[in-house]
Amino acid sequence: MLSLSTRCQRRILPIVSTQITPGRSANHGVCQAAHFYVIKQPQTCSVLRDNSHLDGITLSGERIVEIKCPVRGRDSTLWKTVEAGRLPEYYEAQVQHQLMVTNAGVADVFVFDGAEGVLLEVIPQPETRPQIHESWDEFMDFVTKSEPPPLSERDVRLRDDPEWLEAAAAYLELKGASDELSAKLDEAKSRLVSMASHPREQGGGLSVTRLWKRGNIDYKRVPVLATIDLERYRGPAREEPRVVVDH
């Protein structure tokens, strides 16, 4: 997601600060009503130990606005999910927290691509608040103690122990040698191919064969497949370890 202070700020704040009138609202079709917001960066509200940073709030405090600018715009998962009338779980938790802190009655979630937007109205879900309070208190406990929380699957564990560094150095050395040999191998192959004019030529312990390979089918362009849930035909997930060299 892009920060409002960068790519989207100049284009979106003039729109939201006057009125939200995107082409379609996920809840109500064409959005007719205009809601005026106070836009500040950041707008912070607090209740007891809970704090929430807002993109905007009406003067009456009855509505808040949360603005998202996905890099892929209308092709993003977020746009499509909001257009279907719901929020991803992680954004739902964020918006419910904002509603709890502000005591607002509605949150207008506006997904914007720089030219157009889609709007979703989110109402408070009081049943989520005990879990929000519990999670917030747990988080603040780490902040107060200046301790990092346990790593999640989305975090990166940093390693600087001798065993890891030794293994990393060995891999990098071999990877560099492999890349160098791979480049030389590609050059040798290109030379052989450029010398071969017949469909198959052989000599010196190898052969060069020219084959025609059929193109791949672009299944996204098959209209009938657009209405079929292909996920049901997907095979089981499997682990795929990757080693990526930092640059």
Side-chain angles (χ1 to χ4, degrees), residues 169-184:
Y171 178 85
L172 290 173
E173 182 179 357
L174 292 172
K175 181 69 165 58
S178 174
D179 290 345
E180 184 177 353
L181 286 175
S182 179
K184 292 181 178 180

Side-chain angles (χ1 to χ4, degrees), residues 185-206:
L185 182 62
D186 288 340
E187 291 177 4
K189 178 181 178 180
S190 296
R191 183 184 178 192
L192 280 168
V193 171
S194 67
M195 296 170 61
S197 57
H198 191 69
R200 180 169 182 175
E201 300 189 20
Q202 185 174 357
L206 55 77

Side-chain angles (χ1 to χ4, degrees), residues 93-208:
Q94 176 193 7
V95 173
Q96 288 300 325
H97 179 256
Q98 293 172 343
L99 288 168
M100 179 189 72
V101 172
T102 61
N103 202 32
V106 177
D108 292 311
V109 179
F110 188 47
V111 184
F112 188 63
D113 68 354
E116 297 179 309
V118 60
L119 177 67
L120 176 67
E121 291 185 351
V122 179
I123 61 174
Q125 298 177 6
E127 67 274 12
T128 66
R129 294 181 178 180
Q131 179 61 47
I132 292 175
H133 275 297
E134 181 180 344
S135 298
W136 179 262
D137 288 341
E138 182 180 353
F139 170 75
M140 284 303 300
D141 189 50
F142 288 113
V143 173
T144 302
K145 296 179 180 178
S146 296
E147 296 179 358
L151 295 177
S152 70
E153 291 186 357
R154 300 180 64 181
D155 291 321
V156 176
R157 179 186 176 191
L158 299 179
R159 298 283 298 270
D160 60 1
D161 53 283
E163 185 178 9
W164 177 274
L165 295 179
E166 180 184 355
Y171 178 85
L172 290 173
E173 182 179 357
L174 292 172
K175 181 69 165 58
S178 174
D179 290 345
E180 184 177 353
L181 286 175
S182 179
K184 292 181 178 180
L185 182 62
D186 288 340
E187 291 177 4
K189 178 181 178 180
S190 296
R191 183 184 178 192
L192 280 168
V193 171
S194 67
M195 296 170 61
S197 57
H198 191 69
R200 180 169 182 175
E201 300 189 20
Q202 185 174 357
L206 55 77
S207 62
V208 176

Side-chain angles (χ1 to χ4, degrees), residues 12 20 47 60 83 90 92 114 123 175 213 239:
I12 196 170
I20 289 183
V47 175
S60 65
E83 203 167 36
Y90 42 91
E92 180 71 38
I123 61 174
K175 181 69 165 58
K213 184 178 179 181
E239 186 179 43

Side-chain angles (χ1 to χ4, degrees), residues 8-19 39:
C8 289
Q9 186 179 32
R10 291 185 179 179
R11 302 189 68 176
I12 196 170
L13 291 186
I15 296 175
V16 181
S17 61
T18 55
Q19 58 183 359
I39 305 293

